[in-house]
Amino acid sequence: MSSSLSNTPLHSSIATASAAETNFPAKFQRPTAKFRPDKPNDRASSVSSSRRGFIRIATLPCLLPLTQIIGVQQANAIQPDTKEYLLIKEEVRKVLSKGKAAGVLRLVFHDAGTFETAEKTGGMNGSVLYELERPENAGLKKSIKVLQKAKTQIDAIQPVSWADLIAVAGAEAVEVCGGPAIQVSLGRQDSLGPDPEGKLPEESLNASGLKKCFHRKGFTTQELVALSGAHTIGSKGFGGPTSFDNSYYKVLLEKPWASSGGMTSMIGLPSDHALVEDDECLRWIAKYAENENMFFEDFKNAYVKLVNSGVRWNSL
């Protein structure tokens, strides 16, 4: 979606927390034991429950279109401010620092960013755990290890899916860096395998390609520009690496990469540079550069839409 997060754009990444985080496609590998809950019985119960959930959905397409199924389930999702939600926030905050925020936020984009509306595949489903060996997901194992510590503590009290944990953790990453408070619903089912490869936007896409890619995922051009603002944290040179603000847009308008030589030529990804060359994108870039509150509000709304993309909710 894909912050200066990685070599893959927000558009395909969210600013990689370190320059080493990058790459793309890989063979399917199940998560290693160190990424699984500490209690085998809990793992078995979780998989069994998740499998039953997917079986229920598999029997429904003959009755309802998938979009209707997802919509019905979302209505029964657990809303924020419940005991479960507050527990997740508390444990995430114990393991999340500003320095780890960009990597965790990037994890959200790489999990949810595989969604395709026409194919009804991908989305916020925790499948990224099966995709860690893909080049575009390089470096995300570190963020998984961080969240595994929180998940172990949460599971001991109330089991949580990886999809829910990542969605909440990304929201906390934004807030801990000074961004808007974002609340997301709970109740996402985890996938039992990887999503199709090659669905994250590529860093080499021009503005037209980015808009088409995001439109296939159900996002408007405005939402593309708003979500791209996540690159304001991380290592790509947009403002402070741990400050979530509207610096991304201010830097885009300055086009520092156009300067010959020096570190300024390395700011941002080609896909970031492309946005400012498109008139439609430029209008939103200028708005967000001038009005940080508008950016925060639009990012918050787009983030909630992102983490609800392609979700199979637990309750029908």
Side-chain angles (χ1 to χ4, degrees), residues 178-181 222 226 244-247 249-250 284 286-301:
Q222 177 187 2
F244 193 97
D245 53 29
N246 64 342
S247 295
Y249 304 104
K250 294 179 179 179
W284 290 109
K287 287 178 182 291
Y288 294 150
E290 181 180 354
N291 192 330
E292 185 174 79
N293 289 333
M294 177 186 289
F295 162 51
F296 278 10
E297 185 65 22
D298 288 351
F299 180 86
K300 178 173 64 176
N301 293 333

Side-chain angles (χ1 to χ4, degrees), residues 88 108 111 123-129 147 151 160-170 184-191 303 307 311-312:
I88 297 172
V108 175
D111 192 32
M124 196 74 212
N125 56 19
S127 67
V128 70
L129 267 76
L147 296 187
K151 191 174 191 304
V160 60
S161 68
W162 272 105
D164 275 348
L165 178 60
I166 293 171
V168 174
V184 300
S185 299
L186 301 180
R188 297 166 185 76
Q189 293 183 9
D190 279 338
S191 173
Y303 181 90
V307 297
V311 171
R312 270 69 166 182

Side-chain angles (χ1 to χ4, degrees), residues 24-30 130-135 194 197:
F24 195 82
K27 298 179 180 178
F28 162 53
Q29 294 186 6
R30 291 190 176 277
Y130 301 92
E131 302 156 7
L132 295 175
E133 300 304 322
R134 294 179 181 178
E197 296 186 11

Side-chain angles (χ1 to χ4, degrees), residues 57 65 109 120 165-166 252 302 314:
I57 289 177
F109 282 83
K120 299 297 185 294
L165 178 60
I166 293 171
L252 285 183
N314 282 328

Side-chain angles (χ1 to χ4, degrees), residues 200-244:
L200 295 178
E202 300 175 6
E203 67 174 55
S204 59
L205 288 176
N206 59 20
S208 176
L210 284 171
K211 290 195 289 186
K212 289 178 181 178
C213 182
F214 271 69
H215 291 170
R216 289 197 303 270
K217 300 177 186 300
F219 292 92
T220 66
T221 299
Q222 177 187 2
E223 290 167 333
L224 156 62
V225 177
L227 288 173
S228 296
H231 280 172
T232 195
I233 60 173
S235 61
K236 287 300 175 184
F238 296 104
T242 60
S243 296
F244 193 97

